[in-house]
Amino acid sequence: MIRSWIVLGYALLPLALASCSQESVSDDVGGRRSVDFATYLSHSTTMEATAGTSRSAVASAVSRASTRATTPYYNIETVNDLMQTGFGVTAYATGEKDYTVGQTDYIPNFMYNQLVSYNTASKTWDYSPTVYWPEGKTSFFAYAPYQQDASERLTAMNGSTSFSGGNSYQGDPTVTYSVAEDPTKSVDLLWATNTEGLPWLNQTKPAVSSRLTFYFRHALAKVNLQAEYVVEKGTEEDTQTSANTLVLIDSIYVEGDGSLPSTVTLSLANTTASTPLWSQPSGKVKVVIGSSALNGLYASASVTDADAFKKVKEGGGGLPMILNGSTDKATDILLPMTSPAGNATPAALMLIPSSATSATATTMRVTVVYTIVSYDKDLIYNNPQYLAFTRHQRVSGSCTFSGGLVAGRVYNVRLKVGLHALRFQVDADNWQEPVGFSPAVYPWTTGDGSSKDLTIDK
């Protein structure tokens, strides 16, 4: 697997710093050293960094991220995405005492849900007001995308639905997350660690230029939905008929068992390297995918008359039809979405990993409602004219992932739709890891796609 990482640095840089050198530098007035942010590139043999500054954040940069905080976010896979969403930092100053995970003595007294946003003019990560390193030990935690207030997806901070009210919480920082019932409103939740995949705990004021590197990791599992229409047997007549036929989807329903909760709390102080720490799972996932979340090329709602039929057909619409046992032709069926930075990608399900419920297996039940539409110019009395809605179908099936859904992993689930049954195939071959991340948003990794991880209930 190719690892091409560009990481987000948490820079401990003084005012005069303009490079990555490890030389001694002058302190701020009165010997204070400001806590600043920067981007740090580690994917090439030549290291580069953008130095932070100790000045206050530019107002426009802060307001931009704050404005977008109420907007549904999709994948955060590049630095450009993170630049649009910003991230939140919480920090604890504990004097000479160590911060230990699971503590219930300390409140976030140094930083609390501090918005850090990217200033395009200065090319720096800024926040306001500026803070300076205290004496003693400080522990840092971060998550993305930044959220100022509770929303549909990020519902609580430190147990409080009033995000600002969580600043008096004694314990590890947490974010509560709810799965989107509509995949077009999915939010990619990330949390930050050090280079070893654990929180940055008990850091002290640096003597020279240095930085704490935040590695952002996907806390959720991502499920891409693809589909194709499987014909049990094919004749020459079937081939000719298919030229004037479309198989289109009305709706899709995805329901989880007890191993797929709808709401859960993520601790930003994970105890197992690179693994999210969950608590308080509740509910069961239920995702309803209607016409508004389907790509118009595969949605029955997009075909209302002969002209619409022809347009969809000429655009390559309708589920790919294959003969049972022949080469798969499954295609992405959900609506194309735009990431915060403007990158196009199909909508996907963002689900809570099975580790949240300590489950060793995860089962999803999927129901697909679809319509077979035929066009016949001789059927002038049909309503709508020239269209014969020859069949409405509802098929269901369930698939069980024996290893459960894993955080940071993407699953391509092919729905093999037939007249009498729905079958599944998990296939990771079509997923390519994004490269050139800046800063580190750990790439979605893929499963091996082997059938041993999947059991099928027809």
Side-chain angles (χ1 to χ4, degrees), residues 102-148:
Q103 64 83 20
T104 57
D105 298 324
Y106 301 116
I107 62 174
N109 58 352
F110 188 64
M111 285 183 169
Y112 174 71
N113 197 28
Q114 173 63 61
L115 166 64
V116 180
S117 59
Y118 190 73
N119 185 322
T120 55
S122 62
K123 296 185 176 106
T124 57
W125 291 93
D126 291 342
Y127 68 95
S128 178
T130 301
V131 295
Y132 299 85
W133 276 92
E135 297 301 324
K137 300 174 182 179
T138 310
S139 300
F140 298 88
F141 308 87
Y143 76 97
Y146 173 78
Q147 196 77 39
Q148 181 176 359

Side-chain angles (χ1 to χ4, degrees), residues 76-268:
I76 303 176
E77 296 188 338
T78 69
V79 64
N80 291 330
D81 293 327
L82 198 58
M83 285 176 181
Q84 297 301 314
T85 69
F87 59 93
V89 176
T90 294
Y92 300 72
T94 57
E96 296 306 312
K97 296 182 179 180
D98 282 341
Y99 183 107
T100 57
V101 173
Q103 64 83 20
T104 57
D105 298 324
Y106 301 116
I107 62 174
N109 58 352
F110 188 64
M111 285 183 169
Y112 174 71
N113 197 28
Q114 173 63 61
L115 166 64
V116 180
S117 59
Y118 190 73
N119 185 322
T120 55
S122 62
K123 296 185 176 106
T124 57
W125 291 93
D126 291 342
Y127 68 95
S128 178
T130 301
V131 295
Y132 299 85
W133 276 92
E135 297 301 324
K137 300 174 182 179
T138 310
S139 300
F140 298 88
F141 308 87
Y143 76 97
Y146 173 78
Q147 196 77 39
Q148 181 176 359
D149 303 303
S151 66
E152 288 183 273
R153 304 284 78 82
L154 277 66
T155 61
M157 180 77 67
N158 285 349
S160 175
T161 55
S162 170
F163 273 27
S164 59
N167 63 353
S168 60
Y169 178 75
Q170 290 178 291
D172 297 331
T174 64
V175 177
T176 301
Y177 180 88
S178 290
V179 174
E181 295 181 357
D182 177 348
T184 65
K185 296 181 180 179
S186 292
V187 172
D188 183 6
L189 177 63
L190 290 80
W191 93 105
T193 72
N194 62 16
T195 55
E196 297 178 350
L198 295 169
W200 278 112
L201 302 181
N202 305 310
Q203 303 302 300
T204 57
K205 177 182 176 181
V208 296
S209 169
S210 60
R211 57 177 45 81
L212 298 177
T213 301
F214 273 155
Y215 289 85
F216 278 92
R217 303 170 187 271
H218 299 280
L220 306 172
K222 177 181 175 184
V223 175
N224 290 329
L225 291 181
Q226 300 176 326
E228 59 192 352
Y229 183 73
V230 180
V231 181
E232 295 299 325
K233 61 180 181 178
T235 65
E236 183 177 349
E237 183 180 356
D238 292 332
T239 303
Q240 293 174 350
T241 302
S242 66
N244 293 319
T245 301
L246 290 172
V247 178
L248 300 167
I249 298 174
D250 298 356
S251 55
I252 301 174
Y253 302 88
V254 178
E255 298 176 275
D257 61 0
S259 69
L260 281 177
S262 58
T263 299
V264 74
T265 296
L266 172 70
S267 172
L268 303 183

